[in-house]
Amino acid sequence: MRLKTTYIIGVLLIIWASFIYFTFINRPLNITESPENIDSQLNVLEGGIDEQFKHNREMINKLHTFLEHKKRNKMKNESSKQIKTQEHNGFVIPILVFACNRVSVSRCLDQLLQYRPNPDQFPIIVSQDCNHKETTDVINRYGSQVTLIKQPDQSDIEVLPQEKKFKGYFKIARHYGWALNQTFFNFNFDAVIIVEDDLEVAPDFFEYFTATYPLLLEDPTLWCISAWNDNGKIGLVNENNPEQLYRTDFFPGLGWMLTKKLWSELCTKWPKSYWDDWIRQPNQRKERACIRPEISRTKTFGKIGVSNGLFFEKHLKYIKLNDLFVPFTKMDLSYLLKDTYDREFVLKVYQSPVVSYQELKEDKIVYDGPVRIVYHTKDAFKRNAKMLGLMDDFRRACSIFQSGVPRMAYRGIVTFFYKKRIVHLAPSFNWKGYDLSWS
């Protein structure tokens, strides 16, 4: 628009100058003047006209320069506004790695650094307990790539005689409480992704959390994003569908994200031990859910720990770690919001035909598509889960906390992949909620 105005002004100036020129040149000559005087006057007039044209050209050039300068400034300002908007809409989420006495923490850190897309967006904080020098030395080798903080309270913890062998769980709970307080209230981050020192991560680990973080902010019925599927063993997941995500009422942990808002709610009543089972209690969960993947984005390699390898040989070492990059940030994940998910997922589950375990195992189902195995009691659930290779427990054997939620269940429904089809191990349609006595 401004360039167009410049051209109009220039044309008007040229017309004005031409008018003056032709007016003076074509005016009637004073015949009383001598030819020499007329020639002299014409020379003066032509010189004035030339000077006027020169002045007009200078004015037009100055106008061009001025408008180009304004245009560049406008583009610069718009670009600056765009960058500021991106910074404002962006987020920084630290990866909080819990370490103790495993020098193999390097295996975890190496993968995090390998797959991390942006060190400014995903700073890595390693929180170490135990004062294990060899582990500290390993962490220090990473220099400025990670920030090391150390849990200062190394005092012994008094426990009841029957819980002496579980003292490690008390120390872990103390460490978690301290490190999360540091992350949220000292470093002042708005969210954090928790990783333990014995976890491998998938190539799209950061992509997964980047895409699901907005869901966590938008949907108040969500309280965590987890990279873990407790039933994600080879043969129980659809490896051709790594982009599939689900809601679950069970807190999965093992690579998970929470917000400062949630921690502010939990920190004042943080337990002295068994924090992961405590967090699954109804009083903490408050009917909120987590997002979990079909195929895990983490895998544990820590056979030896405070749990003494509980479940590792039977289960954990068979978990499938996703090895393909899924561009989650380019996908529409709104189907995971509660209203949509409850309407569509529950409908699909209860429209699927009911089959028996024997029919499923012997592949005697004549139709394609998802199927449903129904359970009504705790024993029926555990029996079917064990036959199908699912985790059939509701809590750890050493825990005093109860939730009654089967692992990976949503509204009592445990969804998995078996014999090349989706299977729902589900309660009846008029399900009344979880029963604490099932724990």
Side-chain angles (χ1 to χ4, degrees):
M1 184 66 185
R2 286 175 177 164
L3 290 177
K4 185 177 179 182
T5 304
T6 303
Y7 295 138
I8 294 173
I9 293 172
V11 170
L12 290 174
L13 287 171
I14 292 170
I15 293 172
W16 175 77
S18 300
F19 171 76
I20 292 175
Y21 177 79
F22 287 109
T23 299
F24 280 100
I25 288 179
N26 295 322
R27 69 178 181 170
L29 297 177
N30 186 350
I31 58 174
T32 63
E33 295 185 24
S34 66
E36 291 81 2
N37 287 336
I38 293 173
D39 288 339
S40 176
Q41 289 179 23
L42 285 175
N43 289 334
V44 172
L45 180 62
E46 287 178 358
I49 296 297
D50 288 340
E51 187 66 28
Q52 185 63 49
F53 270 112
K54 181 181 178 182
H55 180 66
N56 291 344
R57 282 194 297 271
E58 288 176 353
M59 286 184 64
I60 291 172
N61 288 335
K62 287 180 179 179
L63 279 168
H64 273 297
T65 303
F66 173 76
L67 291 175
E68 282 297 322
H69 180 70
K70 292 284 285 182
K71 183 180 178 181
R72 284 195 298 270
N73 281 344
K74 182 181 178 183
M75 292 174 66
K76 184 178 179 181
N77 290 336
E78 287 177 349
S79 176
S80 176
K81 287 179 182 177
Q82 185 177 6
I83 291 171
K84 288 179 181 177
T85 300
Q86 290 173 352
E87 290 175 349
H88 178 72
N89 292 335
F91 51 82
V92 176
I93 302 180
I95 311 300
L96 180 59
V97 181
F98 282 89
C100 181
N101 57 1
R102 286 192 179 106
V103 294
S104 57
V105 65
S106 59
R107 182 171 167 183
C108 172
L109 292 176
D110 286 345
Q111 285 197 332
L112 287 170
L113 291 169
Q114 177 186 354
Y115 297 132
R116 180 172 64 169
N118 185 335
D120 294 326
Q121 188 176 17
F122 297 103
I124 297 174
I125 301 171
V126 182
S127 181
Q128 188 190 0
D129 201 356
C130 310
N131 276 345
H132 188 250
K133 183 181 182 303
E134 290 80 1
T135 302
T136 304
D137 291 342
V138 169
I139 298 167
N140 282 332
R141 288 181 203 145
Y142 289 88
S144 61
Q145 294 183 95
V146 305
T147 299
L148 174 61
I149 59 176
K150 287 191 170 186
Q151 205 283 96
D153 187 358
Q154 295 298 310
S155 62
D156 192 28
I157 298 177
E158 293 186 6
V159 299
L160 296 172
Q162 62 267 31
E163 290 190 299
K164 275 190 176 181
K165 64 179 179 178
F166 301 127
K167 186 181 286 190
Y169 290 107
F170 289 78
K171 292 183 177 180
I172 288 174
R174 180 174 67 182
H175 185 194
Y176 263 75
W178 177 84
L180 286 169
N181 278 335
Q182 291 295 308
T183 303
F184 287 122
F185 304 137
N186 186 17
F187 297 130
N188 202 30
F189 288 109
D190 294 322
V192 67
I193 300 170
I194 293 175
V195 174
E196 294 174 353
D197 58 359
D198 62 345
L199 289 183
E200 295 181 77
V201 300
D204 58 356
F205 176 85
F206 292 94
E207 175 78 0
Y208 170 69
F209 282 108
T210 299
T212 52
Y213 180 52
L215 298 176
L216 190 59
L217 298 181
E218 180 181 349
D219 188 344
T221 68
L222 290 174
W223 70 328
C224 92
I225 307 294
S226 175
W228 178 258
N229 176 5
D230 268 296
N231 292 316
K233 292 192 294 187
I234 297 171
L236 290 178
V237 293
N238 184 355
E239 296 188 31
N240 294 320
N241 194 19
E243 67 273 15
Q244 181 64 53
L245 308 178
Y246 293 92
R247 292 175 69 103
T248 176
D249 296 321
F250 186 82
F251 170 75
L254 292 178
W256 60 288
M257 177 166 58
L258 76 156
T259 63
K260 185 177 184 177
K261 181 180 179 181
L262 177 62
W263 179 245
S264 297
E265 173 190 326
L266 299 177
C267 68
T268 57
K269 52 181 179 176
W270 192 246
K272 292 183 178 180
S273 64
Y274 316 124
W275 70 266
D276 49 349
D277 286 319
W278 170 85
I279 210 171
R280 293 173 181 132
Q281 281 188 301
N283 290 343
Q284 276 60 254
R285 188 172 71 84
K286 297 179 181 177
E287 299 187 354
R288 292 173 292 195
C290 296
I291 301 296
R292 62 92 171 172
E294 166 77 2
I295 304 177
S296 291
R297 265 59 187 186
T298 56
K299 182 176 181 178
T300 178
F301 57 83
K303 178 179 178 180
I304 305 300
V306 293
S307 63
N308 296 316
L310 185 67
F311 299 133
F312 188 88
E313 286 298 329
K314 278 182 63 178
H315 188 83
L316 297 179
K317 73 176 184 180
Y318 300 108
I319 294 291
K320 165 69 179 175
L321 178 66
N322 182 60
D323 54 8
L324 298 174
F325 186 90
V326 176
F328 285 113
T329 55
K330 297 180 180 178
M331 298 179 177
D332 181 5
L333 301 182
S334 61
Y335 70 92
L336 293 164
L337 298 173
K338 182 176 175 58
D339 289 344
T340 303
Y341 193 86
D342 285 4
R343 182 175 62 253
E344 296 180 359
F345 174 74
V346 174
L347 182 65
K348 287 179 183 177
V349 170
Y350 289 100
Q351 280 184 340
S352 59
V354 175
V355 300
S356 67
Y357 165 74
Q358 207 63 31
E359 290 174 313
L360 184 64
K361 180 185 177 182
E362 296 175 4
D363 206 13
K364 292 184 177 180
I365 303 169
V366 296
Y367 35 81
D368 296 326
V371 295
R372 176 167 44 115
I373 295 177
V374 179
Y375 70 90
H376 298 285
T377 65
K378 173 184 175 181
D379 290 340
F381 173 84
K382 290 178 72 69
R383 183 172 59 254
N384 279 291
K386 186 170 290 186
M387 291 188 297
L388 292 163
L390 305 173
M391 291 194 80
D392 64 340
D393 70 309
F394 295 84
R395 63 178 180 89
R396 290 184 176 181
C398 60
S399 177
I400 60 174
F401 300 116
Q402 299 177 340
S403 69
V405 183
R407 291 180 185 256
M408 299 298 100
Y410 186 71
R411 294 175 57 89
I413 304 161
V414 179
T415 301
F416 57 99
F417 199 71
Y418 191 90
K419 297 281 187 179
K420 298 182 179 181
R421 72 171 73 233
I422 294 173
V423 181
H424 305 290
L425 182 56
S428 59
F429 182 75
N430 62 348
W431 177 75
K432 302 299 183 183
Y434 298 107
D435 187 343
L436 290 182
S437 68
W438 285 27
S439 292

